[in-house]
Amino acid sequence: MVSRKLTKSIAAGVAAIAIAGASYGIVSATSSGSSAAASSGTAGSGGPAGGPGSGGGSNARSGPAAGGSSGTASGVSTSGFTLTTAAGQKVIVNEASATTYEKGTSAASASAVTTGEPVLVLGTTSGTTITATQVIVQPASSGSATSSAAKVVPFQRGAPATSKQVGQIPANYTEGSGTIVSGTAANKATEAALAAYPGGVVDRVVKLSNGEYEVHYIGVNWPHHIFVSQDFKVVGAD
């Protein structure tokens, strides 16, 4: 009798251990699966106003990069101002002691930036915030902004992204290819893109293998990429 009871007790204990082990395996596998899904879900994702993610490669967004925007200044303070683009995107502009200023084609000071003035800002872009290296008040291209703005599709939350191609897209272009550039080349490509398609924010400039540039645009539903030739002329957009 004692032997039967002991046997039943041992069997019950073994079963409990097996069930506990199986439960642990299920929880462990679920946890691992969730972690893997979370990791894969964050790779190459785009912001809500920036269109689709870059998809990897050397063009993948890894941090602030050279870019800029243009529009009308407001909320001017000693540390910066707000810029509103032709498509209605709000951009925060932070100024620093090293920021340079121009009014038209002449050197100027920070006091040249006043509410209502059209401005072009070049600098380091992080989302819709720009740390300015150069601020140009009344840029030469500002006169054509109204007619050109019609080409841009403003960003509307919840609206599907517009998909179309205009002009020449470099042969064999793949989103995510190329090398992020800065300095004079990035500034010239940014200026060309903003003059042709005012309304968005340039958050990086990429040099492609054929020597042309892809200017990445955020803050609008279209375009997402503006293509600029080696002599800094806009040749296409998608």
Side-chain angles (χ1 to χ4, degrees):
M1 188 71 168
V2 174
S3 177
R4 288 182 181 178
K5 289 184 178 180
L6 180 59
T7 301
K8 289 182 179 180
S9 298
I10 292 172
V14 171
I17 292 170
I19 291 170
S23 299
Y24 173 80
I26 292 169
V27 171
S28 178
T30 303
S31 176
S32 299
S34 298
S35 298
S39 298
S40 62
T42 57
S45 59
S54 64
S58 57
N59 183 10
R61 184 62 187 254
S62 58
S69 191
S70 61
T72 304
S74 64
V76 180
S77 70
T78 56
S79 60
F81 57 92
T82 300
L83 180 155
T84 304
T85 73
Q89 176 66 57
K90 300 288 186 182
V91 180
I92 302 301
V93 179
N94 295 323
E95 299 168 285
S97 58
T99 305
T100 62
Y101 301 86
E102 292 181 20
K103 187 165 186 177
T105 57
S106 302
S109 65
S111 62
V113 182
T114 57
T115 297
E117 287 278 19
V119 294
L120 166 66
V121 177
L122 301 172
T124 301
T125 305
S126 179
T128 54
T129 298
I130 302 173
T131 300
T133 56
Q134 185 177 15
V135 178
I136 302 171
V137 181
Q138 297 177 349
S141 61
S142 63
S144 61
T146 302
S147 58
S148 298
K151 300 177 182 178
V152 172
V153 179
F155 173 72
Q156 292 182 336
R157 190 171 298 280
T162 300
S163 179
K164 64 178 179 177
Q165 293 186 352
V166 173
Q168 299 176 355
I169 308 301
N172 302 319
Y173 166 71
T174 302
E175 187 178 1
S177 62
T179 304
I180 294 176
V181 297
S182 58
T184 301
N187 288 344
K188 287 185 176 181
T190 295
E191 288 188 65
L194 290 170
Y197 293 95
V201 181
V202 175
D203 71 341
R204 65 179 178 268
V205 177
V206 175
K207 188 170 186 179
L208 303 174
S209 59
N210 66 353
E212 294 185 348
Y213 299 90
E214 179 240 302
V215 178
H216 192 261
Y217 226 37
I218 64 171
V220 295
N221 268 1
W222 189 90
H224 298 303
H225 313 96
I226 301 170
F227 298 95
V228 178
S229 66
Q230 296 180 50
D231 58 352
F232 302 104
K233 305 293 184 184
V234 173
V235 296
D238 71 3

